[in-house]
């Protein structure tokens, strides 16, 4: 799909350009992963690379903007009293099948991603306590263990084609779920 560069409208277009960049990055990260070329993001958004770097000085800043919505969605789900740990993992898996780049972000060794990992760990920990009380998770399972499970899913799904991801995610989660059950 060809994207036409917009005429420069100056500072009045800043919010629109930022939104276009986040949308373009979300699309490219979904298909090409976290390592998608930033020049391709700018092209898809119809802006110059100068606009990209004005809004997002580095890849991590852009990724955080893209995936903040995913984490916010998980936080909203976790805040619901009736949501279980399995419900959270089901949504994480759905997000991952749609874009394996989300797991690349959560499992990244880049320290700037620590805030995202902390948010995800916190929402998992909240539901983990209830799962332990309900007897659906072993008492020795920690939030860090659950982040490791997410990293394992990332490893499997990052090498699967988009078509194969749903089945690979379902099978992997079935196997990993057994490892945390009593």
């Amino acid at each position: 799909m060809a994207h036409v560069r917009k005429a420069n409208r100056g500072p009045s277009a800043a919010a629109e350009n930022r939104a276009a960049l986040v949308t373009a990055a979300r699309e490219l990260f979904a298909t090409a992963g976290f390592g998608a070329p930033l020049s391709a993001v700018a092209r898809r958004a119809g802006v110059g690379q100068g606009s990209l770097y004005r809004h997002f000085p580095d890849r991590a800043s852009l990724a955080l903007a893209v995936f903040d919505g995913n984490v916010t969605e998980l936080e909203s789900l976790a805040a619901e009293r009736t949501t279980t740990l399995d419900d959270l993992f089901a949504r994480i898996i759905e997000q991952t099948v749609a874009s394996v780049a989300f797991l690349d972000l959560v499992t990244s060794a880049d320290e700037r991603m620590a805030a995202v990992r902390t948010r995800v760990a916190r929402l998992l920990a909240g539901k983990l306590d209830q799962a332990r009380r309900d007897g659906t998770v072993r008492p020795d399972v920690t939030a860090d263990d659950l982040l490791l499970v997410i990293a394992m899913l990332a490893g499997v799904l990052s090498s699967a084609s988009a078509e194969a991801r749903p089945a690979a995610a379902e099978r992997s989660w079935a196997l990993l779920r057994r490892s945390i059950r009593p």
Side-chain angles (χ1 to χ4, degrees), residues 23-88:
T23 298
R26 180 175 288 113
E27 292 168 359
L28 282 170
F29 288 172
T31 58
F34 184 55
L38 295 182
S39 59
V41 172
R43 262 193 316 280
R44 181 167 289 203
V47 302
Q49 283 187 256
S51 274
L52 170 76
Y53 288 108
R54 244 186 320 283
H55 290 283
F56 306 104
D58 55 35
R59 179 178 303 279
S61 299
L62 179 59
L64 288 169
V66 168
F67 296 113
D68 184 65
N70 289 39
V71 177
T72 299
E73 179 186 344
L74 291 172
E75 288 168 334
S76 295
L77 181 61
E80 295 176 19
R81 190 181 57 75
T82 58
T83 298
T84 66
L85 189 60
D86 279 342
D87 295 333
L88 279 177

Side-chain angles (χ1 to χ4, degrees), residues 82-100:
T82 58
T83 298
T84 66
L85 189 60
D86 279 342
D87 295 333
L88 279 177
F89 263 95
R91 187 61 196 129
I92 288 169
I93 290 166
E94 287 171 11
Q95 289 177 347
T96 304
V97 167
S99 175
V100 76

Side-chain angles (χ1 to χ4, degrees), residues 3-6 17 19-22 24-25 40-47:
H3 293 277
V4 178
R5 192 179 211 179
K6 302 172 194 167
N17 288 348
L21 286 162
V22 170
V41 172
R43 262 193 316 280
R44 181 167 289 203
V47 302

Side-chain angles (χ1 to χ4, degrees), residues 89-124:
F89 263 95
R91 187 61 196 129
I92 288 169
I93 290 166
E94 287 171 11
Q95 289 177 347
T96 304
V97 167
S99 175
V100 76
F102 176 64
L103 283 183
D104 291 344
L105 174 70
V106 173
T107 61
S108 168
D110 188 323
E111 279 307 309
R112 294 170 292 179
M113 303 304 177
V116 172
R117 280 191 301 278
T118 298
R119 287 171 66 191
V120 173
R122 188 175 20 241
L123 64 92
L124 290 171

